[in-house]
Amino acid sequence: MSRTVKVSLAVVFVFCLALTVVFVVSRAGDSEQADAQASMTVRDDSPRLSTPTESKATFVEFLDFECEGCGAAYPAVEQLRQTYGDQVTFVVRYFPLPGHFNADRAARAVAAAAEQGQFEPMYRKMFDTQRSWGEQRVPLDDLFFSYAQELGLDMDRFAADYNSQATRELIDRDVADGKALGVSGTPTFFINDELIKPESYDDLSSALESAIRQ
């Protein structure tokens, strides 16, 4: 074999090796990015509305309890839970919008109730009563405290959690995660870490059916 041919083969070998390294690094980068997105979509302490023994998919909603769109989506999400709750993990992330005067207070009330194992009852209470308190420009702390009393919560503990730094950090983290994932409004849905933009209940149902079959 001539010296020229040997040099050429060496160059080809080095080039192929470089491409392999680039490909491996690229795949590793893609995997790390996907893992990072997954960790932002659902956190270990994110409240769950369902926890099936064998979950086949994860449904995440970034929501604002004062948002009319979230209120309109609420019955659809409840219907999805009834249909797929034994197969799908339903997760809630807090995303109170700055334009809604009491949205952050509502999120804090739900988070505080969750500390006493009453996340779902307070979640339901917020949406069931949304029309009576939404779009008001006065603080409604007293109203949300009355909801906690109706649920039989320890009110001293509720007050402490409602105003705690831990609750503040939890909500702020959800908002930061949402923004990093491209959430700009509510409701925003993810199925298995993939952003979906449904226009109807059937769109949501079809997306879940597809995720379950994968």
Side-chain angles (χ1 to χ4, degrees), residues 15 26 29 32 45 93 134 138 168:
F15 178 71
S26 176
E32 289 174 0
D45 58 354
R93 303 297 301 274
V138 294
R168 177 75 275 142

Side-chain angles (χ1 to χ4, degrees), residues 119-137:
F119 167 77
E120 185 173 342
M122 187 65 90
Y123 160 90
R124 288 179 176 276
K125 189 70 173 178
M126 289 299 175
F127 281 128
D128 289 343
T129 63
Q130 187 197 71
R131 290 186 179 181
S132 68
W133 63 264
E135 300 300 325
Q136 296 190 40
R137 307 300 295 180

